[in-house]
Amino acid sequence: MKDELREQLKYCRLSGILERYEDTLKEAKRNEWDNERFFETLIQCEVLSRGNNRFQRLLRQAKFPNLKTIDQFDFSQAPYLSKKEILELSECKFIEEKTNLLFLGSPGAGKTHISIAIGIQACKKGETVSFFTAANLGNLLVEMQEERQLTKFQKKLSKVDLLIIDELGYVQLSDQVTQLMFQIFSERYEKGSILVNSNLEFAEWAKIFHDERMTAAIIDRLIHNSKIVLFNGESYRYRNQRREIQQN
């Protein structure tokens, strides 16, 4: 590639074409492509590169604690789940429909794994995602309020296509956090999807939020236009670990 062409591609930020130009040129000569085929292939390289770059950027912004995929989940160790149902959810149509997902069930049953996997699928489709534990989100809301940045932070969250809140129920939330969390749920009501993981049934949520009226209001907003998936069974992690021990 001529230096002038290289610099022009850099100037136009066509990194996909820049990276694949030499190999594509060789393939074009070998297969005697016409100019149109050569040009189309270069454009495809650029499109793929930009798509991958956007995906990587969305992954970083989501701040997943780790990366989990649907393929990595062993449904044979989670008989309480419908693989078909989870695969349908991973298509992320619920985000377009502004539907909430509520994963309820025992610790270790795979709620976090599946929610991260769905979040990653959403990133692949170009959707923006934010992942928090309930405790971390609560602390961040209080911090933003004290620094007078709460409105800005709430506005940022309201623009996210999918908000994932993990481990709701593991830690009791203060009255201040409960009120701030309620504002988040209210802001997203019928405007954006929330995926909540909890080890508690709805009847026990008052233990988290203290105020029964506030708890009822939160549940009401979450379950309206929602899909509830129950993870009721022996710990997925425990079953997997036990199987590995038996195999060894």
Side-chain angles (χ1 to χ4, degrees):
M1 182 188 298
K2 294 180 180 179
D3 290 341
E4 183 180 0
L5 176 57
R6 184 184 302 276
E7 291 305 314
Q8 288 173 339
L9 290 174
K10 286 182 179 179
Y11 179 78
C12 294
R13 298 182 180 179
L14 297 173
S15 58
I17 293 178
L18 181 60
E19 182 180 350
R20 296 293 303 164
Y21 183 86
E22 295 292 350
D23 289 340
T24 303
L25 181 60
K26 290 178 183 177
E27 187 175 358
K29 289 180 178 178
R30 183 170 60 251
N31 295 304
E32 299 182 346
W33 290 353
D34 58 24
N35 292 337
E36 184 176 3
R37 174 71 183 279
F38 176 55
F39 182 70
E40 284 179 352
T41 303
L42 288 176
I43 294 299
Q44 288 171 4
C45 291
E46 182 63 32
V47 170
L48 288 172
S49 176
R50 293 194 179 196
N52 185 60
N53 290 341
R54 175 171 171 75
F55 171 57
Q56 295 299 328
R57 184 171 67 253
L58 291 173
L59 276 184
R60 291 193 296 271
Q61 292 173 352
K63 296 183 178 179
F64 296 114
N66 45 55
L67 299 183
K68 300 287 187 179
T69 67
I70 295 294
D71 291 339
Q72 292 172 335
F73 192 84
D74 187 354
F75 284 92
S76 69
Q77 300 300 309
Y80 44 85
L81 289 180
S82 164
K83 182 176 182 179
K84 179 182 178 182
E85 181 180 37
I86 298 301
L87 289 176
E88 287 176 354
L89 292 176
S90 70
E91 294 176 1
C92 298
K93 293 179 181 178
F94 71 93
I95 298 176
E96 301 172 16
E97 298 165 354
K98 307 294 190 295
T99 299
N100 296 328
L101 294 185
L102 305 177
F103 291 171
L104 309 178
S106 358
K111 299 185 297 295
T112 300
H113 184 135
I114 296 297
S115 62
I116 290 174
I118 289 175
I120 289 174
Q121 287 298 112
C123 290
K124 286 182 179 179
K125 294 179 180 296
E127 308 283 6
T128 53
V129 181
S130 285
F131 182 101
F132 300 93
T133 64
N136 286 343
L137 178 58
N139 291 336
L140 191 54
L141 288 169
V142 171
E143 182 182 327
M144 291 295 103
Q145 187 176 53
E146 292 174 349
E147 295 179 359
R148 298 185 178 181
Q149 297 292 319
L150 182 61
T151 301
K152 182 179 179 180
F153 181 63
Q154 288 174 325
K155 186 175 181 180
K156 180 181 177 181
L157 281 186
S158 69
K159 294 181 179 179
V160 172
D161 296 314
L162 176 62
L163 173 62
I164 302 176
I165 302 177
D166 194 26
E167 298 182 354
L168 184 67
Y170 286 84
V171 178
Q172 290 188 355
L173 306 177
S174 67
D175 292 339
Q176 181 184 11
V177 170
T178 295
Q179 293 174 9
L180 293 172
M181 200 81 82
F182 174 74
Q183 292 179 32
I184 296 298
F185 294 142
S186 296
E187 280 290 324
R188 295 188 66 83
Y189 182 58
E190 296 187 319
K191 296 178 183 177
S193 297
I194 303 177
L195 194 165
V196 174
N197 296 326
S198 179
N199 62 313
L200 300 178
E201 298 179 358
F202 291 131
E204 300 177 280
W205 278 28
K207 297 177 182 177
I208 312 170
F209 299 111
H210 306 291
D211 188 314
E212 290 190 5
R213 292 180 61 185
M214 188 74 75
T215 301
I218 288 173
I219 292 174
D220 180 65
R221 281 160 176 74
L222 283 176
I223 65 175
H224 181 255
N225 190 32
S226 70
K227 173 71 177 176
I228 300 173
V229 181
L230 300 180
F231 287 67
N232 290 329
E234 185 181 32
S235 170
Y236 169 80
R237 286 197 293 265
Y238 174 72
R239 288 171 68 100
N240 259 348
Q241 187 178 46
R242 186 175 61 189
R243 184 186 61 172
E244 289 175 4
I245 292 173
Q246 290 173 345
Q247 288 176 345
N248 293 330

